[in-house]
Amino acid sequence: MISYAYPDIATVAEAAGLSVRTLRRRLAAYGTNYSDLVAKTRITLAEQWLAQTDRPVSEIARTLGYTDRSNFTSAFRRLNGIAPQAYRDVVIRPEGG
């Protein structure tokens, strides 16, 4: 299984040719920070996998680097207002569809 562990901010800043402070300032200018960017990216990948695959939610959570399904579910719900399995059910079998 591929793991989508994310690099720390120092690694990303170096790859972008920026200092950590400059990267933080630029992200702040867009109204975000590194932690939020990572969280949103992980959830975006989860949304795609939930909609396009039949991979179990627990496997998606592990692949995205969550320590367990409940942590993943909490993060997913915080950003989407719905649990991952419910999201999958709505996307695959929308009401009235």
Side-chain angles (χ1 to χ4, degrees):
M1 168 180 10
I2 296 172
S3 177
Y4 288 84
Y6 56 92
D8 64 21
I9 191 169
T11 302
V12 172
E14 183 179 338
L18 302 170
S19 69
V20 170
R21 182 172 179 192
T22 299
L23 178 57
R24 283 189 175 131
R25 278 197 313 253
R26 289 190 183 177
L27 289 172
Y30 284 97
T32 193
N33 60 53
Y34 186 70
S35 295
D36 288 347
L37 183 63
V38 168
K40 289 174 186 173
T41 300
R42 291 164 90 185
I43 297 303
T44 297
L45 284 170
E47 290 168 350
Q48 292 170 2
W49 291 337
L50 289 164
Q52 299 169 5
T53 73
D54 59 356
R55 293 172 70 184
V57 173
S58 57
E59 181 182 322
I60 291 171
R62 276 192 313 274
T63 302
L64 291 172
Y66 288 91
T67 54
D68 59 43
R69 181 180 171 151
S70 65
N71 288 340
F72 168 65
T73 297
S74 295
F76 194 94
R77 185 178 281 130
R78 188 172 41 255
L79 290 175
N80 286 318
I82 189 171
Q85 188 60 53
Y87 177 88
R88 175 177 269 164
D89 293 343
V90 169
V91 170
I92 294 174
R93 294 178 292 282
E95 286 189 37

